[in-house]
Amino acid sequence: MDLFFLGTSAAVPSKQRSTSCVAVREGADVILFDCGEGSQRQIMASPVSFMKIRAILISHMHGDHIFGLPGLLQTMGLSERKEPLTVYGPRGLAAFVESTMSLTEDEDAEAPYSIIVAELDGGEEFTVRGFSVKCFRTEHGMMSLGYVLRQPDRPGKLDHRKALELGIRDGPDMARLKNGEAVGDVRPEDVIGPSVPGLSVAYTGDTRPCGSTVENVAGVDVLIHEATYMDSEARNAAEHNHSTAAEAARVAKEAGVRHLILTHISHRYDDREAVAAEARAIFPETYAAEDMEMYQVTRGGISVKDVRQA
């Protein structure tokens, strides 16, 4: 699973950082978390294909999370996308998409693809290209949602030698066991190891640290949590319904996640390493994301590289 951080700034973009947008890529399929201003330009400067986006998950209706959406949807149409696209998010999203698209496109032009808007209240579960997706309520002073994406579990490994010892021949019978069928007295569980859990990633959008996040992201492989402020400005974080890096780390520790990636960091903090260090003092497996970084997530851990393309 690859995580592309296309925009990591808080509310205001800077010369170095765009507003909120994270792409999750599995194979050729892409799912977006949020779509702030400038997201499509960031996508074009990365290895992510906007024509491979299968769904867009919006956390809340603040501009730094949605102002890039109309332009991206229009570009897909101009590029002759045919595949329907579903955009998920809180109440108000449908009116936003309908009004912006209707006011900015030719009334007589026929849309080349269908845009489906699914408004959520929190607690819904659905699937996108094999991923199971669950949304949950967060605390941002307005309707706001977080999301958890999970890959399906993979079948366990077939013990080929044991299967041969039990009289199974290579060919159709071995394939039947792999597909979960018994062959004579040999059951799949006799020769196939336990299933391998799929990878999981959670995204909070903007939020105060809250119990609903801890409950819903428990045990995930990667938690992407906002960290607008450092702990020296905890009062500002509380007043504006945001989190500090230390608070995000406490959420990660309580939830028992494997890795924490901080994003939505105020441009007042030029030194991302200092932001990460504050969180690492509480939760060591912490990263502070930069624009155009890809985090490759495997069972063995995380690797990071810059993916900016000329």
Side-chain angles (χ1 to χ4, degrees), residues 145-225:
L145 301 169
Y147 296 93
V148 179
L149 272 62
R150 298 184 186 277
Q151 293 176 332
D153 293 347
R154 301 196 306 274
K157 185 177 180 180
L158 173 69
D159 188 332
H160 186 257
R161 177 180 295 180
K162 185 175 182 181
L164 292 174
E165 291 173 351
L166 292 173
I168 303 299
R169 297 181 180 180
D170 283 325
D173 286 348
M174 201 71 76
R176 287 172 58 194
L177 282 171
K178 290 181 181 179
N179 289 330
E181 300 177 39
V183 177
D185 293 331
V186 180
R187 302 167 299 171
E189 55 267 34
D190 295 332
V191 293
I192 296 177
S195 61
V196 179
L199 294 170
S200 53
V201 57
Y203 176 75
T204 65
D206 292 359
T207 184
R208 291 290 298 144
C210 57
S212 62
T213 297
V214 173
E215 177 183 352
N216 283 281
V217 310
V220 299
D221 293 292
V222 179
L223 170 60
I224 303 170
H225 199 293

Side-chain angles (χ1 to χ4, degrees), residues 26 29 31 126-133 149-153:
E26 175 65 20
D29 296 327
I31 298 173
F126 49 95
T127 59
V128 177
R129 290 295 179 113
F131 278 100
S132 65
V133 185
L149 272 62
R150 298 184 186 277
Q151 293 176 332
D153 293 347

Side-chain angles (χ1 to χ4, degrees), residues 151-309:
Q151 293 176 332
D153 293 347
R154 301 196 306 274
K157 185 177 180 180
L158 173 69
D159 188 332
H160 186 257
R161 177 180 295 180
K162 185 175 182 181
L164 292 174
E165 291 173 351
L166 292 173
I168 303 299
R169 297 181 180 180
D170 283 325
D173 286 348
M174 201 71 76
R176 287 172 58 194
L177 282 171
K178 290 181 181 179
N179 289 330
E181 300 177 39
V183 177
D185 293 331
V186 180
R187 302 167 299 171
E189 55 267 34
D190 295 332
V191 293
I192 296 177
S195 61
V196 179
L199 294 170
S200 53
V201 57
Y203 176 75
T204 65
D206 292 359
T207 184
R208 291 290 298 144
C210 57
S212 62
T213 297
V214 173
E215 177 183 352
N216 283 281
V217 310
V220 299
D221 293 292
V222 179
L223 170 60
I224 303 170
H225 199 293
E226 74 118 296
T228 307
Y229 297 94
M230 293 183 70
D231 226 30
S232 59
E233 298 189 69
R235 180 176 296 178
N236 277 338
E239 287 179 357
H240 297 288
N241 294 297
H242 285 293
S243 297
T244 68
E247 287 173 333
R250 294 185 190 104
V251 169
K253 184 176 182 178
E254 187 174 351
V257 308
R258 288 180 63 206
H259 306 281
L260 170 65
I261 305 178
L262 305 176
T263 189
H264 200 272
I265 300 170
S266 171
H267 59 74
R268 74 188 70 191
Y269 305 119
D270 293 327
D271 184 0
R272 292 293 171 105
E273 185 55 33
V275 177
E278 178 175 285
R280 286 191 193 120
I282 299 166
F283 187 80
E285 286 298 318
T286 297
Y287 304 81
E290 297 273 6
D291 280 27
M292 309 307 287
E293 283 185 336
M294 181 188 78
Y295 288 69
Q296 189 170 51
V297 185
T298 66
R299 278 278 148 226
I302 283 181
S303 61
V304 187
K305 66 178 180 179
D306 191 297
V307 294
R308 194 179 311 272
Q309 297 185 343

Side-chain angles (χ1 to χ4, degrees), residues 18-154:
S18 190
T19 52
S20 293
C21 185
V22 182
V24 180
R25 186 176 70 180
E26 175 65 20
D29 296 327
V30 176
I31 298 173
L32 282 192
F33 290 130
D34 282 331
C35 193
E37 177 186 355
S39 291
Q40 66 171 313
R41 181 66 184 85
Q42 294 291 86
I43 290 170
M44 291 174 183
S46 79
V48 175
S49 170
F50 61 81
M51 296 297 278
K52 301 296 185 181
I53 295 172
R54 311 306 182 190
I56 301 175
L57 310 179
I58 301 296
S59 64
H60 64 291
M61 297 299 294
H62 278 160
D64 58 318
H65 295 257
I66 62 168
F67 278 166
L69 183 59
L72 179 60
L73 296 178
Q74 189 172 68
T75 295
M76 289 178 180
L78 294 172
S79 301
E80 299 184 350
R81 180 187 177 107
K82 304 299 182 186
E83 179 187 353
L85 175 70
T86 302
V87 184
Y88 298 87
R91 301 288 171 183
L93 180 61
F96 172 78
V97 172
E98 181 181 356
S99 61
T100 53
M101 299 303 287
S102 64
L103 290 171
T104 57
E105 293 196 326
D106 188 341
E107 292 182 3
D108 299 325
E110 184 175 346
Y113 73 106
S114 298
I115 301 171
I116 303 144
V117 179
E119 294 189 330
L120 307 171
D121 293 311
E124 293 90 346
E125 299 185 32
F126 49 95
T127 59
V128 177
R129 290 295 179 113
F131 278 100
S132 65
V133 185
K134 181 179 181 180
C135 73
F136 58 94
R137 287 284 191 103
T138 58
E139 296 181 7
H140 190 47
M142 64 183 301
M143 175 62 171
S144 58
L145 301 169
Y147 296 93
V148 179
L149 272 62
R150 298 184 186 277
Q151 293 176 332
D153 293 347
R154 301 196 306 274

